[in-house]
């Protein structure tokens, strides 16, 4: 039974667009530092803008990092209070452009979620593990390099 006096989490409220600070406020303590590190890194990326975007009942309100020339975001942060995640779209040729075999197993597993036989184009990682932050930053750098190589063709 739902207590109607209970506060609705900002990231689940499809009727009201939250602020980044509101969704951040719902994140459990263990996820705050990794969330802040990845968010700061994405905000430092040239030409990237930050916006909240509704991704339906699964990811709900996300923080999308967009480049002006792209339809899809460069990356999104999913501010689930118990499991902060980062996702990136996998355009054709992206995985083939990176040294896949040299990546950590956890990074490869996230990339595998966006490949056959799965019916999605998104790679997804939980980010509370501080040990993955540098690797996730590297994936973003690979994505930017891949985009730059497409522009030069």
């Amino acid at each position: 039974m739902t207590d109607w006096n209970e506060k609705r989490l900002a990231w689940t409220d499809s009727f009201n667009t939250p602020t980044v600070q509101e969704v951040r406020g719902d994140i459990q303590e263990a996820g705050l530092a990794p969330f802040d590190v990845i968010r700061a890194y994405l905000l430092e990326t040239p030409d990237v803008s930050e916006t909240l975007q509704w991704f339906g009942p699964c990811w709900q309100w996300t923080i999308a990092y967009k480049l002006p020339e792209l339809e899809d975001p460069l990356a999104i942060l999913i501010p689930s209070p118990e499991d902060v995640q980062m996702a990136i779209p996998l355009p054709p040729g992206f995985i083939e452009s990176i040294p896949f075999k040299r990546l950590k197993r956890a990074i490869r597993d996230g990339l595998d979620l966006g490949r056959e036989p799965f019916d999605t184009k998104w790679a997804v990682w939980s980010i509370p593990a501080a040990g993955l932050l540098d690797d996730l930053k590297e994936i973003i750098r690979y994505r930017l390099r891949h985009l730059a190589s497409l522009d030069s063709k």
Side-chain angles (χ1 to χ4, degrees):
M1 184 164 168
T2 303
D3 179 358
W4 295 108
N5 294 324
E6 241 178 74
K7 178 186 171 248
R8 177 177 259 185
L9 296 176
W11 84 288
T12 65
D13 185 355
S14 63
F15 300 105
N16 297 295
T17 305
T19 65
V20 172
Q21 290 305 0
E22 287 172 330
V23 295
R24 185 187 180 281
D26 291 336
I27 296 172
Q28 292 180 358
E29 176 111 14
L32 286 175
F35 172 87
D36 290 341
V37 167
I38 288 294
R39 179 174 179 239
Y41 179 76
L42 286 161
L43 287 172
E44 291 170 359
T45 304
D47 301 321
V48 167
S49 64
E50 178 181 72
T51 185
L52 276 104
Q53 186 173 345
W54 179 256
F55 264 87
C58 181
W59 286 347
Q60 303 179 55
W61 283 109
T62 67
I63 306 164
Y65 297 88
K66 298 187 173 195
L67 290 166
E69 67 275 9
L70 291 181
E71 184 176 325
D72 285 331
L74 173 66
I76 62 171
L77 290 178
I78 304 154
S80 169
E82 289 128 19
D83 183 23
V84 178
Q85 299 171 9
M86 185 181 89
I88 63 167
L90 298 176
F94 173 64
I95 290 180
E96 293 76 21
S97 73
I98 61 175
F100 188 81
K101 299 255 189 236
R102 291 190 309 177
L103 300 172
K104 285 183 181 171
R105 174 69 187 225
I107 298 297
R108 289 194 319 260
D109 288 349
L111 289 166
D112 279 339
L113 291 174
R115 295 169 48 165
E116 294 289 334
F118 300 105
D119 189 27
T120 181
K121 66 176 183 177
W122 291 91
V124 183
W125 299 271
S126 290
I127 63 168
L132 287 184
L133 294 177
D134 288 338
D135 299 292
L136 292 174
K137 290 177 187 178
E138 187 66 22
I139 291 296
I140 293 165
R141 285 190 289 274
Y142 285 138
R143 176 112 160 83
L144 290 166
R145 276 188 229 130
H146 179 72
L147 291 167
S149 75
L150 295 176
D151 287 343
S152 66
K153 289 182 181 178

